[in-house]
Amino acid sequence: MALGPAQDLRDAIRIFNPQRPLEGEALHAYSADRGSDARRQMRLFLDVARDEPANILFTGHGGSGKSTELNKLIEELGDAYFVVKVRTGDIVPATDLTYLDVILIAAMALFRAASDEGGIGRAPAQIVEGVWERIAEVIDRVIFGKLPYRRPATAPEVTVKAGIPPIVHGLTLEFEARFKNEPNTREAIREHMQDRLSEVIEKANDLSAEIRHRHGRQVLIAVEDTDKPEPSRAAEIFFDHPQSLTAFNASVVYTFPIALRYNAGFSEVDRYFKCVRMPNLPLFRRDGSPERHGRRVLDEAINQRMAAPLIAPGARRKIILASGGLMRTLIGLTQSAAVNAYARGASRIEDRDAERAIADLRKDFVAALRSEDYPTLAARYRDKRLSSDDSLQELLQMRALLEYENGEAWCDVHPVALPLVQERVPGFDPGLSGK
């Protein structure tokens, strides 16, 4: 059954899911063409790298559409690359993530994907048996060390046919489950791995070389959720360990916190990575005049997911402007407004449903912002200037301050947070004429 726009509010609530990146059929059915160069830039870096790995930092606000853009890139690459998709947040929360976790999770994901029976042309055993044996040995000795674990049982007939890969596959699943669910095990592995990480990277590089040699495919590891740790933790990951993060003999894309793009330490990692920015969709120009393109893209995103009669024109406009140009916020506000309308027995989203959804989102900013943040937001609203100030980085990370780029990079206060600034900064006049 082909996917299409929702025809009723129940369907709209299902389709407008802000937690689910577009992939597969949904990528074709619901993805709006935003006209971004980000995907083309990443493709170019991969193409010109040829036999050398490309290391890319993919930055932009959380919710700007980076996951969807990565999924489009992966689809475009087709069979030219053996792609390993990694979401660190599926295993370790952003509040506890370390550089060692990132590398270990990426390497184990590569081992798991390549050892899957359908992973590489349904012939994982074509990889030299010794490579698999060394991978199994490093997981056993280096990663698990002295920790007790359940070694995967493999039927004799499978072992004869496929060799070690099924054992490696089982070991990676055992690792992911325990590293995710057992904090004590996670700490023990981290401690054990401190001086042994290079051994894991070496085995990952051996496997990448085998994939290139035997299957003629470059390896690309796409690592998501590494943009989610708060700035100081993210700085420790990227600024303190760029050599380790770029040690894979495979191309790697890491999502990168937009806050660190404006950190003074960024110049130090710039020589290790190519940086690609996913610009937020501007709804206004820096001078406050309307920006039509961003509004059209967000309007198209709603139209692709919902039949026009399900939302009043005024509610649609309120949601688009309140999103600040963030695609995930647009999707989340529309879902919340649809829930409000459905709960009161209506058949379409009206202005009051959108206003209630916006008010609920504003409560998140009330909870996150400190009293000293409001004067900073007021100042940035007036001058639109980006800088390397610590306070600005935190506000960018929490999306109270949004980066835009139409001709030049500038910033503005998230429209949902703006009334709070007006309320809490004496004498502040947002001057909303034209908006």
Side-chain angles (χ1 to χ4, degrees):
M1 179 178 176
L3 299 178
Q7 299 301 313
D8 57 51
L9 290 180
R10 284 176 61 93
D11 207 19
I13 293 168
R14 177 183 58 81
I15 291 174
F16 282 83
N17 184 346
Q19 305 305 321
R20 187 173 61 213
L22 295 179
E23 55 188 348
E25 290 184 27
L27 189 64
H28 298 279
Y30 301 134
S31 176
D33 181 10
R34 57 189 296 153
S36 168
D37 288 334
R39 189 166 73 257
R40 286 188 288 271
Q41 289 177 15
M42 287 190 285
R43 180 68 183 269
L44 176 63
F45 289 142
L46 292 171
D47 287 345
V48 299
R50 298 182 183 272
D51 294 331
E52 295 294 322
N55 294 288
I56 299 171
L57 299 179
F58 188 24
T59 186
H61 282 289
S64 61
K66 295 190 298 298
S67 294
T68 296
E69 202 74 358
L70 273 175
N71 287 339
K72 287 182 178 179
L73 173 67
I74 290 168
E75 185 174 88
E76 286 180 1
L77 293 174
D79 291 334
Y81 282 79
F82 179 68
V83 178
V84 180
K85 295 174 66 175
V86 183
R87 297 184 68 93
T88 60
D90 290 344
I91 298 176
V92 179
T95 53
D96 190 38
L97 190 68
T98 71
Y99 90 96
L100 191 149
D101 299 343
V102 174
I103 295 169
L104 193 53
I105 291 169
M108 294 295 274
L110 172 61
F111 299 156
R112 174 172 48 80
S115 61
D116 189 291
E117 288 189 7
I120 308 176
R122 295 190 176 278
Q126 291 181 14
I127 302 294
V128 170
E129 191 81 356
V131 172
W132 289 121
E133 290 174 351
R134 290 190 292 274
I135 290 172
E137 191 267 342
V138 84
I139 296 174
D140 175 58
R141 176 179 57 84
V142 176
I143 296 178
F144 282 115
K146 296 181 180 180
L147 288 171
Y149 69 93
R150 183 183 58 203
R151 188 173 180 84
T154 307
E157 63 272 16
V158 175
T159 304
V160 170
K161 178 182 178 182
I164 309 298
I167 294 177
V168 171
H169 192 75
L171 287 172
T172 62
L173 296 178
E174 173 85 358
F175 162 80
E176 289 179 357
R178 297 191 63 183
F179 207 72
K180 173 181 180 179
N181 298 314
E182 301 176 10
N184 291 339
T185 296
R186 188 186 310 153
E187 286 302 321
I189 290 176
R190 285 171 176 168
E191 183 177 352
H192 187 66
M193 287 289 300
Q194 283 298 331
D195 300 321
R196 299 173 174 87
L197 191 58
S198 61
E199 295 184 57
V200 177
I201 295 173
E202 179 185 355
K203 300 307 177 288
N205 290 343
D206 288 346
L207 180 57
S208 296
E210 280 288 301
I211 293 171
R212 286 194 301 273
H213 173 66
R214 296 183 176 274
H215 298 276
R217 298 167 69 182
Q218 300 291 326
V219 176
L220 171 63
I221 307 174
V223 186
E224 296 194 67
D225 294 340
T226 42
D227 58 330
K228 293 182 179 178
E230 48 85 22
S232 62
R233 179 174 288 272
E236 183 179 339
I237 292 171
F238 286 101
F239 294 171
D240 293 352
H241 304 282
Q243 290 176 312
S244 296
L245 293 172
T246 56
F248 287 113
N249 191 16
S251 292
V252 186
V253 178
Y254 296 102
T255 54
F256 184 71
I258 192 170
L260 294 194
R261 182 64 183 81
Y262 294 96
N263 185 295
F266 180 76
S267 60
E268 295 299 316
V269 300
D270 196 29
R271 60 195 178 99
Y272 292 95
F273 300 93
K274 300 292 186 182
C275 187
V276 175
R277 299 165 71 179
M278 182 71 170
N280 194 24
L281 286 166
L283 305 181
F284 297 92
R285 297 187 180 91
R286 185 167 182 167
D287 63 7
S289 60
E291 176 63 76
R292 303 299 179 190
H293 171 71
R295 300 182 188 206
R296 282 197 299 269
V297 172
L298 296 183
D299 193 54
E300 179 188 353
I302 293 176
N303 288 338
Q304 288 176 323
R305 291 169 170 83
M306 174 189 289
L310 294 182
I311 182 168
R316 177 191 295 261
R317 173 180 166 80
K318 288 178 185 293
I319 287 173
I320 289 174
L321 294 182
S323 74
L326 289 170
M327 188 64 72
R328 188 190 300 162
T329 302
L330 178 91
I331 300 305
L333 284 173
T334 307
Q335 183 189 62
S336 180
V339 169
N340 295 337
Y342 184 80
R344 64 182 180 82
S347 59
R348 79 167 184 170
I349 299 169
E350 302 290 351
D351 287 17
R352 59 176 170 169
D353 303 309
E355 290 165 359
R356 182 178 170 188
I358 294 167
D360 287 341
L361 179 59
R362 188 170 294 122
K363 294 174 185 176
D364 294 342
F365 286 114
V366 172
L369 290 168
R370 302 163 301 183
S371 57
E372 58 265 33
D373 292 330
Y374 292 102
T376 302
L377 288 171
R380 297 294 75 76
Y381 181 85
R382 294 187 186 102
D383 64 24
K384 315 294 187 195
R385 292 178 181 171
L386 290 159
S387 71
S388 61
D389 294 348
D390 290 344
S391 60
L392 183 141
Q393 294 171 43
E394 293 173 1
L395 293 171
L396 284 169
Q397 188 70 7
M398 72 172 70
R399 299 185 291 277
L401 200 62
L402 299 177
E403 180 207 43
Y404 296 102
E405 184 176 339
N406 42 6
E408 59 179 335
W410 54 283
C411 64
D412 208 349
V413 178
H414 195 298
V416 175
L418 190 58
L420 298 174
V421 181
Q422 184 177 19
E423 174 188 299
R424 301 181 187 207
V425 178
F428 174 70
D429 180 8
L432 292 176
S433 60
K435 290 192 179 184

